[in-house]
Amino acid sequence: MILICICKTKPSRTSFQVTQTTRENKTNENIIMANSSAITPITSISMAEESKPFGDEEMSADTPPPMPSRGKIEHAASLGNKDTKLINRSKCVVYLVLFLSAAIVSVSTFFFMEEEDARWYTDEFEERSEEVLKGVEASLLHSVESSGNMGGSWTLQTTNQEENHATHGANVTYTNFAVLGSALANSGIAQMMAVSPIVTAANQTQWEAYAVENQRWILSDLLLLTNAFGYNIGSLNPGEIPEHIYGYDGGEDTTAATAEIHLPIWQMYPTPQNASRSPIMFDLLSIDWFANLWNETIYTRSPVISTIQDLDFLVDYADYEREQQVSSPKFVLVEPIAGGYDEVTGGIVAAATTVVSWADYFSVVLEDQPSGIIVGIHHNCTKSNGLTYSFKKTKDSVVYLGENINLASFNVALTKSYNLFGEDAPGPSFLKDDSCGFILTVHATNEFIEQWQRDDSYFSALSVVGIFGFTALVFFTYDYYVQRRNRTVTNTAARSTAIVSSLFPKNVAAQMMEEAKQPSTANRGNRTSAMSDAVQQLVGTSSSTPQPNASALKASKKAAPIADLFEQTTIMFADIAGFTKWSSTHEPSHVFTLLETIFNAFDKIADKRRVFKVETVGDCYVAVCGLPDPCPDHAVVMARFAWECMRAMRKLKNKLEKKLGPDTRELDMRFGLHSGPVTGGVIRGERPRFQLFGDSMNKTSRIESSGQKGKVHISEEMANILKASGKEHWISKREDVVNLKGLGEVPTYWLGLQNERHSATGSVTSHTSTDSSEPSSDDELALIKNQINDWKNPSELTSWHSQFLAKLLVRVVQARQAKGSQIDANDEGLQIAEKSAVFGHANPSETIQFETTTSGDLDSEAASKLDKATMDQLKDFVQQISDAYNPHPFHNVQHASHVVTSLKKLLEWTQDSPLDPLTEFALVLSAFVHDVDHPGVSNEQLIAENDALAKIYKSSPAERNSLDVFWNIFCQESFLELRRTVYQTTDELEHFRQVMVQSILATDIVDKSLQQDRIQRWENSLKEGANAASDQRTTCMVEQLIQVCDIAHTMQHWGLYQKWNRKLYDEMSVAFENGRGRKNPREFWYKGEQAFYNDIVIPVATLLSQQKAFHKAGRGMLQNAEENLQEWRDSGKEVLSSL
């Protein structure tokens, strides 16, 4: 009843009026944020469903309520499912039986089908192995047959030449031997075929003379091959054959004059192109193993096959017949040729020798076989070398693998071995020697097996699983319909409990649940129905618009109000300053991303600090400490909570600016805190909600709205509590007196935990708080502080720039290591290149060659550091550059630092930098040194005065002078290690020089002709489209980046633009007063700034927005530039009058 009296007698203190006051200047924001439930995270515990402020009497029926967390729903559901545990356990047993049955049957089916699959590919392998065996045997028979045909042809030739009877058939030359040899070699798959007559010691001299005299057969055969067969032989000058028979003795070719019988090679195919290096006249009997082979031939008077031998020296002489082949195992087939009259040799006058390569055999035999087959050939003679030679069939060819390979490395699964020409195989008897024959081994790898696997096992097993699954589905469906009504009732009750728990404080929720349990004496069913209907309306389960439930409303009127007075509380209102302007230029998804991210972070801090979140209204976050549970140190807790929220906001907005745009960084929080009593309770109705009422809410709203961006504004009441708690050092009294609406002038205070202070813009200047859960990095704090103070502390300037350049230089080293670049061994050559390098007098390049490895390809977390010597030199170099800057108001080291920080942010805004590390380093270094030793007047003025710089440099004298000043400092002997870290080769030096020259000269943007050339080059590269060289576009990008950053203040917020605009105005005014200016800046400044924006700033920002990597950042800067231009048009004259 107390609550009702307050609402009737003191309407000015209702939450409606409080919120009206809070939002009186935020009409646009309320329009954008149609309802706050859309911006409240689903996991939020507190009530935040309506867009209307505290306790509005009317509520939109379309406004969805907040949803409770999943954990609360599951916990509430577990309370209602206790009676069904036994039933669920029984169902689990049935499910388990079905699952085990399906598993056993499917696994059994799988293994059965696997065995069938193995039989399938095993049978296929055996069939293929038999085909390989038959193919090899057929090839051997062809070779024997071809060798026999040659012997027969030679015998016939010997018989026809009766004059050779005296020499026992040795002096025989076969006409057109190339025709015979080509036909027989191709049919017998032979690499070489030769005829060797038997020459005795008695007729050796005579035969050698015969051979020299009749060697013209070589030229005749070469002509025949060229004219008739079309071989590209080239030079037809075969040279001379050796004059004497020579042999092989201990690795040296020697004259074989002392032997009694010789078997020299005479006619052969392929015909040698160079007779002097061919094996003609080579005595085959000088080779021990061949001599044994020949003795066996004489003894058996039948062909003989050798073991596998190295015969490359016999076949590698003819370049035109075949491509040079990889050395592979070969054997020799020796066929005796009859036709003589010598009783010692039994009528044998010569030998037909055929050299056969197993690689040729298997290329033919395995041609139609599938890939993945490996064959091995092994000679089982005791006199063989005992090696197995292996070949593999691939998709396109047959590959020789080598000797005694490790089959395990080839994933061999099946193996089959055969004796060539077994008992049942057709063929001559000499090929069927069991004690000394060839063994063929065929292997099947996994590659072969995969081609014949049917994979039916998986399908069959899945089919079994599907049958059992269908059976289980029938059971599940039946169980579902049986339990459907029970589940519906249980879930509704659980959801009702969870919703109440998430919307209200614990004690309020408990009281509401107790009311729901108590039956009404008049109609218990109506009371339950009313509660159920109210909950359904809350969760939105009704398909239509919720209608008032008469029973529920009647029951709620009879029940006692749920309300209480909390005397010791501290309330916080937190508003996002600048949100209205920001949200008007961003799409809805960006707006809600910002609010959800920030308010989620606030919720986490609230849970940690025992702070109760009341609601969010638009971009305003409302929280209270001291209810529902009392908290003696509520003011201290809320102060820490507000401070952590402010720090979280700053950290989050810096991260969000990459996704939402650079203007996000300009947002900040405005906090208002007040300590006092507050009434809290539940307003019943269609959608009950927890609300706070009273003067404290009204005053907190006024405190927040009269605060400042980036500050925590607190009331005198809260300040007194903090003083009493020993936290007086946290607060400082506000100098001006605040006039609060309805309260008059009241003293207020600023909150600053411990030694932490804030500027008017809300930027942190120091950090000593121990209460921060997520402290900012020292690097970021130093950057913010020094930007505020214009880098007035030289040591901090040197430190920050040194650290930033060091990070970039580390990435240069990493990229060099990743690429494996070689250091120039001749450092003297690099020193000469340094001395001859041209900077100030160089012209910009049309196109610079860039590395393909960009900074985005490197590990950003790599823990690399520069060595101490290089780091010390870098600090010294930065200090010398800083000292070389003149103390002009604008063209000074502070402005150079602003250019560097702007470039730093641009590079951070893109996820993957399109620039390589050396280019990034040179670009940032250019930003730092681009105005060093600037004269303080424009290039136009220098040329008009015929200044010394204008005499030295034909164009851009200020920028070219800065280039030379930089290079003279950088080339000091004391910076040798630093230079060798930046570049280690002459190519790297040249790239570094080109980027420095290109960047610094690009800062001369006032020269319209030069700037127009740059714009034209960029437009040309766009017209060329995808065919344009990437280096040309990247060159334009380098120029655009340095230009944008040089004038970045014109594309940032209005206050920053005004700051640097004033400095430039002061500098030009000083020059004019000293007689170094044609006009007083005041005469042209207003129109000149507009022209500068239209001609320079906006075109440069437009070009940057066309770069894919910097599109979002460029778009934001372009928008800021257009807004600043409009602001200058509106208020520029007023600003100018104050300068």
Side-chain angles (χ1 to χ4, degrees), residues 834-869:
E834 288 177 330
K835 292 179 180 179
S836 60
V838 178
F839 277 77
H841 289 278
N843 291 321
S845 306
E846 285 292 327
T847 302
I848 301 177
Q849 301 296 322
F850 294 91
E851 290 288 341
T852 56
T853 302
T854 65
S855 292
D857 301 328
L858 300 178
D859 182 8
S860 60
E861 303 297 331
S864 303
K865 292 184 179 179
L866 297 179
D867 59 85
K868 186 177 184 302

Side-chain angles (χ1 to χ4, degrees), residues 843-852 914-916 918-920 922-923 926 987-1002 1017 1029-1040 1042:
N843 291 321
S845 306
E846 285 292 327
T847 302
I848 301 177
Q849 301 296 322
F850 294 91
E851 290 288 341
T852 56
L915 305 177
D916 61 271
L918 182 57
T919 300
E920 276 194 0
L923 186 60
S926 300
D987 289 341
E988 289 182 347
L989 168 59
E990 177 59 18
H991 181 75
F992 173 75
R993 186 197 67 83
Q994 286 182 327
V995 175
M996 293 291 295
V997 171
Q998 200 83 13
S999 302
I1000 294 180
L1001 292 183
R1017 281 194 289 112
S1030 60
D1031 287 340
Q1032 183 180 359
R1033 293 188 179 180
T1034 307
T1035 303
C1036 295
M1037 180 193 300
V1038 168
E1039 295 176 334
Q1040 294 164 15
I1042 194 69

Side-chain angles (χ1 to χ4, degrees), residues 512-677:
M512 294 182 68
M513 296 305 297
E514 285 298 323
E515 288 184 4
K517 292 179 181 178
Q518 294 176 1
S520 171
T521 56
N523 190 338
R524 178 177 179 177
N526 289 343
R527 180 61 179 264
T528 305
S529 175
M531 185 65 187
S532 176
D533 290 344
V535 171
Q536 288 182 5
Q537 292 172 11
L538 279 171
V539 300
T541 56
S542 177
S543 60
S544 61
T545 303
Q547 299 296 326
N549 188 300
S551 300
L553 293 177
K554 184 177 181 181
S556 65
K557 291 179 180 179
K558 293 181 179 179
I562 302 175
D564 203 352
L565 176 64
F566 302 92
E567 296 183 355
Q568 300 294 328
T569 65
T570 298
I571 306 147
M572 183 195 82
F573 276 46
D575 186 75
I576 302 178
F579 177 78
T580 301
K581 178 181 177 181
W582 182 90
S583 61
S584 65
T585 60
H586 285 260
E587 57 188 65
S589 61
H590 284 185
V591 174
F592 282 86
T593 297
L594 173 75
L595 295 177
E596 286 181 350
T597 303
I598 294 174
F599 290 162
N600 266 329
F602 288 6
D603 290 343
K604 292 179 182 179
I605 301 173
D607 290 340
K608 183 183 69 173
R609 291 289 182 190
R610 296 176 300 155
V611 172
F612 181 73
K613 172 187 175 182
V614 181
E615 63 181 345
T616 57
V617 182
D619 62 307
C620 182
Y621 189 94
V622 183
V624 61
C625 184
L627 68 82
D629 299 322
C631 181
D633 57 343
H634 54 86
V636 175
V637 171
M638 186 57 80
R640 286 176 171 159
F641 171 68
W643 196 256
E644 287 192 32
C645 287
M646 182 167 61
R647 297 191 59 185
M649 168 65 177
R650 289 185 182 139
K651 187 172 184 179
L652 289 172
K653 71 177 183 178
N654 292 339
K655 294 180 180 179
L656 287 172
E657 68 174 333
K658 296 181 181 179
K659 181 178 181 181
L660 305 181
D663 54 344
T664 307
R665 191 180 184 89
E666 306 303 324
L667 300 176
D668 213 331
M669 298 300 298
R670 183 173 59 242
F671 293 87
L673 279 71
H674 169 66
S675 297

Side-chain angles (χ1 to χ4, degrees), residues 1002-1021:
T1003 60
D1004 183 8
I1005 58 178
V1006 179
D1007 190 320
K1008 294 184 178 180
S1009 61
L1010 293 178
Q1011 185 65 8
Q1012 188 60 38
D1013 290 342
R1014 300 185 187 103
I1015 296 176
Q1016 188 62 45
R1017 281 194 289 112
W1018 171 245
E1019 291 178 349
N1020 291 340
S1021 68

